Amino acid sequence: MVQIEIRNPSDYPRPQKERHACEYVFIPWERIVSADPELAPGDLGVVTPDGSPVPSGLIPLASADQVLAVRIDEPLLPAQDQKTPYRLGLGPSRGGGEEEAPLLKFEREGEPEGTAEPRETVAPGAMESVVRVRMVNELLNVWFDLGDHYGKSWFAGAASSVQFKELEVLDDFRIDPFQHDHEKRCMQIDRIMVSRPAWEDSPVVEYVLFTSRYTLVDYTYSPVAASITIASPALDYAYTDPFAGSPRALECRLYRRLTLFGGVNYVVEEVWMEGEAREVPAPVHLNFTARYFSYMEMGQPPHVTVREGAPGWSAISMPHDPRQGYGFATEAPMGGVRNPHPGYPNPDLEHRSFSWEVGPCRGYRCVHLFQRSSPGEILEHTSRIWSELIIEPLEVELIEPGATGG
C-alpha cells in the first residue's frame, strides 16, 4: 500500500480547532499513478494506520486534471516536533470515511423561488438553463447567481446571500429576512481588464461582466467537496498581426471554478481566461486583471485591513454586533480595498460598497471566508487561511510500497 506522509511546516499545530475544524491536503492524480499504477480513480481510499477510513475524494483543480483531496482532522505538531511521521495509507477503497458531504442545489430558468424543489443534479443538456446554484455544507449556505437575480440584471456572477450557521452574513441577520437589503452580494467579478499586445495603441481592453449571464459548464461531487465551473459569454478580443498588419480576433471566455469543502467556512475559487481562434489549435490563456465588487452591511464605518501585493489578502468586518465578516485571500497580486466603491450611485448606502483588483496574471486561486466574530479574530483567521492554503500548505510525500520514506 502507498503511504502518504504529511508534514506540518508551520511552528504551531494544524489544524487549529478554534479557527478551523479541519484542513485538506491535495495530491495530483499523476503522482498517485506514478506511485502505484494499479490504483483506479473510481476505487480509491485513504485509511489511518489502524485501518479506519479517512474522508477523501478526487476533485478538479486548474493546476492538474484531478487531485485527491484528503481531509485532516487530527492536529499535527510542527514537523520539527513530530517524533513519529504522520502517515496514512492509500489503496483500494474500503468504504466509509465520509462526513456530511457538501451539496449543490440547482435552480433553473422559469422556476421562481419557492415554486419548485431545487435539483441536486442537472442533465448535461439542461445546464444552460441553470440560473442559480446553492452550495451547502455544515457551516455555509451560499446562493450564487449566474445571471438575473429575480429581475435584477446586475447580479451576474455574484453570491446574493451567504449564511454562516444559518444566519445571513451580508446583512444584519437580526432584521426580518424579508426586509434585508436586496442589493446585498459578494464574490462578484464586475469587470476584467485584459492585456493587449505591446504593439497595440492601448495596453488593455476592458469587459463589463456584472450584467453578462454566465453558463454552468460543469459540476462535480466528491465525499469531501462539491464544485461548479461557470463560463462568461464570449468576449471578442481583437488585435493586429504585427507582421501582416491584418486584423485578428480571439473568442474569449472567463472561467470560474467554485469549490466548497466539508467542515470549513470558506469557498475556494479558481479563475482563468481562455481564447480560441480558427488558426489556433488549442485555447490560449490570456493575461488579465479582475475587479471584485461586494455590497455588504459591515458597519459604518466598516473595519477593513488589507495586505497588498503578491500574494495578498483583505479582511472586512463589522466592529459591533452582529460582528460578521468576510475575508479574501489570493496567490495573485492584489490591490487595496476601495470603500466606498468609486462612483457608487447612492450616497446614503455607499459605505456598504467595496471593490478591489486581482492581477494582472494568467489565472489565480483565491479564498472567500465568512464568519461571525471580532474584527481581530476575522483578520487573524483570514491571514491564517492565506498562510495555510496559499503560502505554507501541509506538505505531502508519497512513499511507494516497500520504500522506507524520508
Side-chain angles (χ1 to χ4, degrees):
M1 175 177 286
V2 176
Q3 297 291 305
I4 306 172
E5 184 171 310
I6 303 172
R7 293 183 291 271
N8 173 10
S10 304
D11 58 3
Y12 55 89
R14 291 170 53 183
Q16 293 190 308
K17 294 297 184 180
E18 66 273 19
R19 292 192 177 91
H20 309 291
C22 62
E23 280 195 55
Y24 286 85
V25 295
F26 305 100
I27 310 170
W29 174 244
E30 291 82 357
R31 289 178 58 187
I32 295 173
V33 172
S34 177
D36 188 346
E38 296 184 2
L39 290 174
D43 186 26
L44 198 62
V46 179
V47 295
T48 62
D50 64 6
S52 301
V54 176
S56 63
L58 287 170
I59 63 169
L61 198 66
S63 60
D65 289 337
Q66 280 189 319
V67 299
L68 179 69
V70 182
R71 176 168 169 162
I72 306 299
D73 290 286
E74 179 182 339
L76 304 181
L77 292 174
Q80 64 268 24
D81 300 330
Q82 190 88 35
K83 296 181 179 179
T84 304
Y86 180 77
R87 291 182 179 176
L88 301 172
L90 176 61
S93 175
R94 301 179 183 180
E98 297 184 13
E99 303 290 336
E100 186 176 348
L103 289 176
L104 302 173
K105 294 184 179 293
F106 301 97
E107 295 181 27
R108 292 171 56 180
E109 198 166 24
E111 299 174 342
E113 185 177 29
T115 65
E117 182 67 23
R119 297 163 171 80
E120 293 181 4
T121 60
V122 58
M127 286 201 285
E128 288 189 0
S129 67
V130 172
V131 295
R132 190 169 299 104
V133 182
R134 182 181 171 196
M135 309 181 77
V136 185
N137 71 2
E138 307 97 307
L139 298 174
L140 293 180
N141 278 265
V142 180
W143 282 261
F144 196 83
D145 290 80
L146 304 191
D148 288 5
H149 177 71
Y150 305 116
K152 297 184 177 73
S153 62
W154 52 92
F155 270 68
S160 56
S161 177
V162 178
Q163 292 182 357
F164 173 67
K165 296 182 177 179
E166 300 184 348
L167 296 175
E168 183 62 55
V169 174
L170 306 184
D171 202 356
D172 191 334
F173 69 83
R174 298 171 298 180
I175 301 173
D176 185 313
F178 296 102
Q179 299 301 316
H180 274 184
D181 191 329
H182 297 294
E183 288 293 323
K184 68 180 187 295
R185 60 194 184 277
C186 68
M187 298 174 62
Q188 184 175 38
I189 297 178
D190 72 343
R191 65 191 63 218
I192 55 173
M193 288 68 74
V194 183
S195 301
R196 302 191 73 200
W199 56 86
E200 298 289 348
D201 293 335
S202 57
V204 298
V205 58
E206 182 176 291
Y207 301 94
V208 175
L209 295 178
F210 62 86
T211 58
S212 300
R213 163 102 178 248
Y214 285 82
T215 300
L216 178 70
V217 295
D218 192 21
Y219 70 94
T220 60
Y221 284 112
S222 86
V224 294
S227 70
I228 61 171
T229 303
I230 61 174
S232 73
L235 308 170
D236 293 329
Y237 177 86
Y239 65 99
T240 303
D241 186 316
F243 302 105
S246 56
R248 295 292 184 90
L250 295 176
E251 185 178 90
C252 302
R253 285 178 172 81
L254 184 76
Y255 291 87
R256 304 176 64 183
R257 180 182 291 127
L258 306 176
T259 303
L260 180 62
F261 293 92
V264 300
N265 60 335
Y266 56 80
V267 177
V268 177
E269 178 178 14
E270 298 167 88
V271 185
W272 69 97
M273 190 171 188
E274 293 182 4
E276 296 181 335
R278 292 179 181 176
E279 63 272 21
V280 179
V284 294
H285 289 261
L286 283 76
N287 211 44
F288 67 95
T289 296
R291 190 177 79 180
Y292 282 87
F293 175 82
S294 293
Y295 179 94
M296 311 174 288
E297 176 55 270
M298 293 292 169
Q300 191 175 9
H303 190 280
V304 180
T305 303
V306 182
R307 183 196 186 278
E308 297 184 40
W313 58 265
S314 65
I316 304 170
S317 57
M318 181 181 285
H320 52 76
D321 287 341
R323 297 157 67 90
Q324 56 208 25
Y326 165 67
F328 177 87
T330 179
E331 62 190 5
M334 177 181 174
V337 173
R338 291 172 291 246
N339 172 244
H341 171 67
Y344 190 78
N346 188 340
D348 294 333
L349 296 174
E350 65 179 8
H351 66 281
R352 299 185 179 185
S353 64
F354 306 82
S355 63
W356 60 92
E357 293 181 359
V358 175
C361 58
R362 290 192 176 183
Y364 61 88
R365 181 178 49 150
C366 63
V367 181
H368 305 268
L369 177 143
F370 306 93
Q371 70 179 67
R372 190 169 288 106
S373 54
S374 70
E377 290 175 333
I378 292 171
L379 188 158
E380 173 69 12
H381 292 192
T382 302
S383 65
R384 287 290 189 188
I385 282 290
W386 173 80
S387 174
E388 295 172 356
L389 264 70
I390 296 173
I391 303 300
E392 281 192 326
L394 295 173
E395 298 172 351
V396 179
E397 180 184 356
L398 292 186
I399 303 172
E400 298 180 18
T404 59

